[in-house]
Amino acid sequence: MASLDLPQSPNVFHPEKPSAVGSRNSLAQDYRDQQKEVNQLIEEETNKVLHHLSTKLPKDVLERLDIMGGLKEKLYNYFNQNYQNMFNRYMVTAEDEMLKKVRGFIDREEMKVLNRYTPKEIATLLDEVGGADKFNTGEIEKSIVNMYGHLQGHVQRGINDLETLTNSLLRQKTDVGAFVRGENAYSIVKCAFKDNILKPKTVTDVKLSVNILDTELISPIFQYQVTVEYLIKDLISNHFMNLIDKEIERVKDELIDEGKEELTDSEIIFKKIGQVPGITDDELESPESKRYAAVSKELMERISNLRAEIDPETFDQLNVRENVKRIIDIENIRNRGFNTAINSLTSILDTSKMGYQYIENLKNARELLLREYDDTNVANLPDERYQIRLRYYDNAQLIEERKAYEVMIRSFETEVEHLWDVLQTQYDKSKFMVRITDFGDLAKLYEKHIQKKYKIPNGEPAYKDIAKVWDEISFVNAAETEVEKMNRTFVYEKDKMRKKLIIMRERLKRMYDYQYPIERRVMEERLDFLEAEFNKFDYLINPFHMQPGLLLDVDITSIKRKKATLDGMANVLNEFLHGVSKGFMDQAFASFSRRRSTVRADIAQTFGSGEDDEPAAGAASGRAQFIDMLNEMPSLEAPAPETVNEAPVQHGRRSTSKTKKDGAVDTTANKGRRGRKPGIRTL
C-alpha cells in the first residue's frame, strides 16, 4: 500500500520548511508568494493611514511630521511587524492543532483498511463502543475555539498598540497611559518620566514600580524560610474558605429554587462570617478542637518551627517531621510562586527580543536583579537600556523598610537644616557695617517707633510678642490623625526640603553675585550633593504605600524620538502582569454568578419522578408527589380557566394557576377553541 510522508509539524523545527515549528511558510498556502501578498497588504494600509493624516491635518503640521520620510517608514515597519507576528502565530497554531487531529484520524482509517481478516462493520462497531474519545468532535471544537480566541486577542492587542503609538506619535509625548494599559493601571505604585541628567534634550528616564498583592497572585508566593507549619495552616485555611464558599452557594441555590430574594453583598459577608465558628475555633490545647480536624494536634506539634532546612545532625529519613516536610517539598509549595514569576518574566523577555546580559537570582531572599548590560557605569552605557528588580515583600519586611525610610527622611531634614544654619550665619556676617540689607533690618530699625505710635495706643501686642507659627517656607501642616500616622506620605517634609534647597541656591547668588570665594564654593558643593542625593531618594518608592506582595521595579532609559526600549518593555510588562496577576476583581460584580432566567433546574418543563429528574439544587416540598399524581392519570381534558383557579398547586416559586409556564404543556392543542387552555397529557 502506498504511503504519503506527511511533514510532522509538532516534531520538526525549521524556519523555512512548510508547517514546521517556527516556520514562515505553511502547507495551507499552497506555496503562494506570501511576501508579495504581505507587501501589498501593508503598502495599502500604510497609504490609507497617510492619506487620512494628509487630509485631516494642517499643512504646517504635515511638514513637521515629515510624512514622506520618517512617518511612513514607522507606519510601514509597525504594520509589517505586527502583521507578521499575528499571522505566523495563528497559522502555526492552526496547523499544529489540525494536523494532530488529521494524523490520528488517518491512522485509525488505515488500521481499518489493513485489518483484512476482520469485516469492516465489526471494526466500525468496536470503534463506536470503544469509549467517549471515539469520533468525538469536542476536542477539535475546543481547539478551533482556542485558535480563534488567540487570533482575536492578537488582533485586538495589535489594534490597541496601533492606536496608542499613533496618538503618541502625533502628540510627540509619552505618558503613563501609553506605557501601562488601563487594565493594569491600578497596580502602579509609582511611575515617573524625567529628562536624563547627562542628555536632557534627547534621552528620558522612566521609573516604574508595580505592586502585585498577595491576594492577586495566581500562584501564591512564600518566603524561603517560612515554616512547614505555616504552609500546612495556609492549605487548611484555603480548604476552610472553599467549604464556606460551597455552603454559601448552596444557600443561594435554595433561595432561588424557593423563589425568594437573592442575598445582598452584606448578607453574604455575614453568612460567611457566621460559617467560620462551625469549621474552626481558637482552642489551641484541646486535641478535639475543630482546627485539628484535617491535621491532628500531635502532628502539628511535631512540625512546629520546622523550616526549609533541617540540621544534618538531627536528620532522619524515617522521622515523621522529615516525611511531612518531604511531602510539602515534593508539591513545591514553597518555591512554586516565585519560580513561576521568574520563568514568566525571563521567557517574555526572550520572546520579545529584549535580551539581558546580567541576571542574579537571590532565591532565598526572593529577589531577582536583571539588567540589559553588565556594566553599571552610566557614561559607558548606551541611551537605550533597562534594568528590572523583582522582589517579594511580606509584612515584616515592609515594617522594617518603613522604619528605614522614616530614618532617612529625618536624616535629610537634619542635613538640610544644618546647611541652612551655616548659610544663615554667613548671610548675617555679610551684613557687617551695612545698615539695611533686607526687610528684617528695616523692621528692626522701625520696631520701637511702630510699638510706640501704633501698638501701645491701640492696646495691641508687639510683633515680637506674637507667636510666629509660619516659617515662610511652607504652609502650616495639619495635625496628624491615626490615618496619617499609619500611612505616612512625607509629602509635606519633602516639599519643605525642596523649597529650602531652592531658597539657599538663590540666596547664594544674591550674596556673592559674580564672586567665588572659598565659602561660596564649599556651600555650593554641599548644596549640589544634598540636592542630588535628595532627588535619588525622592525617586524611590515610599514603603508606607506598599502592601505585602510582589514588587516589580523597572528603570528604563530611552531616546525620546525612538522609544524602542519603552515600547518593548510596555509589551513585556503587560504580558507579565497578565500571566502572574489575577487582577482586581470587584466581588460585588463577581457575586452575580447565577441568574433566575438562565439557571433554573425546571427550565426544561418536563415531567418525571425520581432523583434523576429533581433539580440539582434541591426541589420544593410536594413536587415529587405532584409529578407522580400526574403520571398516574391516563389523560386529562383541558379544564376551564375557572376550574384551574379553584385548586392551585404550589410549585415553590408560584402557583401553577397563575402562569402558563409551570407544568408540561402540550403545544399541539386545538387552536380553534378559544378561551380554553391546552390540555395536559402524559406521554
Side-chain angles (χ1 to χ4, degrees):
M1 179 180 176
S3 62
L4 177 63
D5 187 14
L6 292 176
Q8 306 291 315
S9 63
N11 305 325
V12 177
F13 180 88
H14 198 274
E16 295 180 355
K17 287 185 178 181
S19 297
V21 177
S23 174
R24 301 187 300 270
N25 303 316
S26 169
L27 284 174
Q29 298 180 7
D30 198 14
Y31 296 97
R32 294 183 303 182
D33 191 351
Q34 178 183 0
Q35 190 62 38
K36 181 179 179 181
E37 296 174 356
V38 171
N39 291 338
Q40 182 180 359
L41 176 63
I42 296 175
E43 184 71 24
E44 182 182 358
E45 292 297 329
T46 304
N47 291 333
K48 284 182 180 179
V49 175
L50 292 176
H51 178 70
H52 183 72
L53 291 178
S54 61
T55 55
K56 294 295 183 181
L57 297 179
K59 183 177 180 181
D60 54 346
V61 177
L62 292 175
E63 293 175 354
R64 284 183 290 174
L65 283 178
D66 191 18
I67 289 183
M68 301 306 295
L71 182 58
K72 182 174 182 179
E73 182 181 355
K74 289 180 181 178
L75 284 173
Y76 188 90
N77 292 335
Y78 179 75
F79 273 118
N80 187 19
Q81 179 183 359
N82 283 272
Y83 178 80
Q84 292 286 354
N85 291 337
M86 289 188 293
F87 187 77
N88 288 339
R89 288 181 184 176
Y90 169 69
M91 290 305 303
V92 171
T93 305
E95 291 160 5
D96 288 350
E97 294 294 334
M98 293 303 297
L99 282 180
K100 288 178 186 177
K101 307 302 180 183
V102 171
R103 280 188 308 175
F105 179 74
I106 292 175
D107 291 340
R108 289 196 299 268
E109 293 298 324
E110 287 182 349
M111 288 299 298
K112 292 180 183 179
V113 176
L114 294 176
N115 195 358
R116 301 178 179 178
Y117 299 100
T118 303
K120 187 175 181 181
E121 293 78 7
I122 298 179
T124 304
L125 179 62
L126 292 176
D127 283 335
E128 291 178 353
V129 300
D133 58 334
K134 301 298 182 181
F135 297 98
N136 186 6
T137 61
E139 296 300 326
I140 299 179
E141 294 172 359
K142 291 179 182 178
S143 300
I144 294 176
V145 170
N146 291 334
M147 285 187 289
Y148 277 101
H150 287 301
L151 175 63
Q152 181 66 26
H154 292 315
V155 172
Q156 187 63 42
R157 288 185 183 181
I159 293 174
N160 293 337
D161 292 340
L162 176 61
E163 292 177 356
T164 302
L165 294 176
T166 304
N167 293 332
S168 177
L169 183 65
L170 294 176
R171 292 179 299 166
Q172 288 297 316
K173 177 184 177 183
T174 301
D175 53 12
V176 179
F179 191 63
V180 178
R181 251 88 70 186
E183 61 266 18
N184 296 319
Y186 74 96
S187 60
I188 296 178
V189 179
K190 188 171 186 177
C191 185
F193 288 75
K194 71 173 185 178
D195 296 333
N196 187 266
I197 298 177
L198 301 178
K199 302 176 181 179
K201 292 185 178 181
T202 59
V203 181
T204 182
D205 292 335
V206 181
K207 172 77 170 182
L208 175 67
S209 300
V210 177
N211 188 203
I212 307 172
L213 308 185
D214 275 334
T215 55
E216 298 171 356
L217 290 170
I218 296 177
S219 182
I221 299 179
F222 301 98
Q223 294 290 1
Y224 178 72
Q225 294 297 338
V226 68
T227 61
V228 177
E229 181 183 10
Y230 178 86
L231 294 176
I232 293 179
K233 286 184 177 180
D234 186 75
L235 292 175
I236 296 175
S237 177
N238 293 334
H239 175 64
F240 287 163
M241 292 298 103
N242 291 333
L243 293 179
I244 292 176
D245 291 338
K246 290 180 180 179
E247 181 63 23
I248 296 300
E249 289 297 325
R250 188 188 64 81
V251 173
K252 290 181 180 179
D253 294 341
E254 289 183 354
L255 292 176
I256 291 177
D257 292 331
E258 294 175 2
K260 297 181 179 179
E261 292 293 333
E262 297 182 6
L263 295 175
T264 62
D265 297 339
S266 301
E267 291 174 344
I268 292 175
I269 294 176
F270 295 145
K271 285 283 186 181
K272 289 184 177 181
I273 295 175
Q275 293 291 329
V276 173
I279 58 177
T280 185
D281 54 32
D282 299 330
E283 293 293 334
L284 297 176
E285 304 300 331
S286 175
E288 303 299 328
S289 175
K290 296 177 182 177
R291 63 188 293 131
Y292 300 120
V295 180
S296 64
K297 180 177 182 297
E298 180 183 0
L299 189 59
M300 295 296 290
E301 291 176 350
R302 288 179 180 270
I303 61 177
S304 179
N305 295 325
L306 177 60
R307 299 189 179 273
E309 299 169 354
I310 301 177
D311 189 356
E313 297 180 357
T314 62
F315 183 81
D316 186 358
Q317 293 90 337
L318 300 181
N319 282 346
V320 174
R321 63 169 188 167
E322 278 80 352
N323 284 277
V324 173
K325 179 181 178 299
R326 185 175 182 182
I327 294 174
I328 299 297
D329 292 342
I330 291 175
E331 294 294 332
N332 202 19
I333 300 174
R334 187 187 305 274
N335 303 313
R336 181 192 305 159
F338 191 68
N339 291 347
T340 301
I342 293 177
N343 290 341
S344 176
L345 179 61
T346 53
S347 63
I348 294 172
L349 288 173
D350 291 335
T351 55
S352 302
K353 304 300 185 290
M354 300 285 290
Y356 47 91
Q357 292 182 350
Y358 178 86
I359 183 171
E360 186 175 5
N361 186 7
L362 309 176
K363 292 186 177 182
N364 293 1
R366 292 293 186 258
E367 184 174 2
L368 175 72
L369 301 176
L370 191 147
R371 293 197 298 267
E372 186 175 8
Y373 300 100
D374 179 42
D375 194 358
T376 56
N377 188 4
V378 178
N380 300 331
L381 291 174
D383 295 334
E384 291 282 345
R385 63 183 183 271
Y386 71 89
Q387 64 178 10
I388 298 175
R389 176 174 173 262
L390 183 69
R391 186 173 183 183
Y392 175 75
Y393 285 95
D394 58 14
N395 194 38
Q397 289 175 314
L398 286 180
I399 291 175
E400 297 300 325
E401 289 282 341
R402 291 164 184 168
K403 292 179 181 178
Y405 193 85
E406 188 169 6
V407 170
M408 198 66 216
I409 280 285
R410 304 309 174 195
S411 300
F412 269 114
E413 286 181 336
T414 302
E415 297 300 326
V416 172
E417 191 67 30
H418 182 56
L419 180 59
W420 179 275
D421 295 337
V422 172
L423 182 59
Q424 185 67 32
T425 303
Q426 186 66 22
Y427 178 71
D428 293 339
K429 286 185 177 181
S430 66
K431 295 192 296 182
F432 181 69
M433 298 297 293
V434 179
R435 186 182 184 190
I436 298 175
T437 303
D438 53 20
F439 177 77
D441 297 337
L442 184 62
K444 189 175 182 181
L445 183 64
Y446 293 150
E447 179 181 354
K448 294 182 179 179
H449 179 77
I450 293 173
Q451 184 177 1
K452 181 179 180 182
K453 189 171 183 179
Y454 301 109
K455 300 298 181 182
I456 294 178
N458 297 331
E460 298 177 355
Y463 178 78
K464 64 179 181 180
D465 298 332
I466 300 175
K468 190 175 182 181
V469 295
W470 180 38
D471 56 5
E472 300 182 6
I473 298 175
S474 58
F475 297 122
V476 178
N477 193 20
E480 287 186 343
T481 62
E482 195 65 24
V483 176
E484 283 80 10
K485 293 179 181 178
M486 297 297 295
N487 304 280
R488 296 186 180 274
T489 61
F490 298 108
V491 174
Y492 177 80
E493 291 83 354
K494 289 181 180 179
D495 289 342
K496 187 174 182 179
M497 284 188 284
R498 191 178 292 106
K499 290 180 180 178
K500 278 192 172 184
L501 292 173
I502 296 173
I503 292 173
M504 285 190 287
R505 189 172 295 280
E506 293 177 351
R507 182 170 290 183
L508 279 173
K509 292 181 180 179
R510 291 198 306 268
M511 283 173 56
Y512 295 102
D513 200 12
Y514 293 103
Q515 299 177 359
Y516 290 89
I518 183 63
E519 293 85 357
R520 177 177 181 175
R521 295 198 301 269
V522 170
M523 285 188 289
E524 281 188 344
E525 289 178 0
R526 183 63 178 175
L527 183 61
D528 292 338
F529 171 75
L530 289 179
E531 192 171 8
E533 294 298 315
F534 177 75
N535 289 333
K536 291 180 183 178
F537 179 75
D538 190 33
Y539 214 44
L540 299 178
I541 311 167
N542 186 353
F544 282 89
H545 300 285
M546 287 173 52
Q547 298 178 14
L550 197 63
L551 177 68
L552 181 67
D553 198 3
V554 186
D555 293 306
I556 303 173
T557 300
S558 184
I559 301 173
K560 293 182 179 180
R561 298 186 65 86
K562 188 177 181 181
K563 298 182 292 186
T565 306
L566 270 178
D567 296 337
M569 190 55 62
N571 296 328
V572 170
L573 290 179
N574 283 280
E575 289 288 342
F576 175 74
L577 293 176
H578 179 72
V580 174
S581 172
K582 293 182 290 188
F584 174 75
M585 182 175 62
D586 192 347
Q587 292 296 332
F589 291 98
S591 61
F592 292 97
S593 59
R594 293 183 80 236
R595 300 287 183 179
R596 292 176 182 267
S597 60
T598 58
V599 186
R600 280 176 49 184
D602 60 340
I603 200 70
Q605 301 295 342
T606 57
F607 285 114
S609 60
E611 297 178 355
D612 295 338
D613 295 329
E614 292 299 317
S621 60
R623 182 183 177 93
Q625 291 82 355
F626 175 68
I627 294 172
D628 293 337
M629 182 265 294
L630 290 176
N631 286 332
E632 291 175 359
M633 300 174 66
S635 65
L636 184 61
E637 295 296 335
E642 56 271 12
T643 308
V644 178
N645 294 331
E646 291 179 359
V649 180
Q650 297 296 330
H651 222 289
R653 288 185 179 84
R654 55 179 64 89
S655 174
T656 56
S657 61
K658 294 181 180 180
T659 178
K660 186 178 177 180
K661 292 184 179 180
D662 291 337
V665 179
D666 188 358
T667 57
T668 61
N670 188 2
K671 297 182 180 180
R673 300 174 64 184
R674 298 181 180 179
R676 312 186 103 198
K677 292 189 177 180
I680 302 177
R681 294 173 182 165
T682 57
L683 300 177

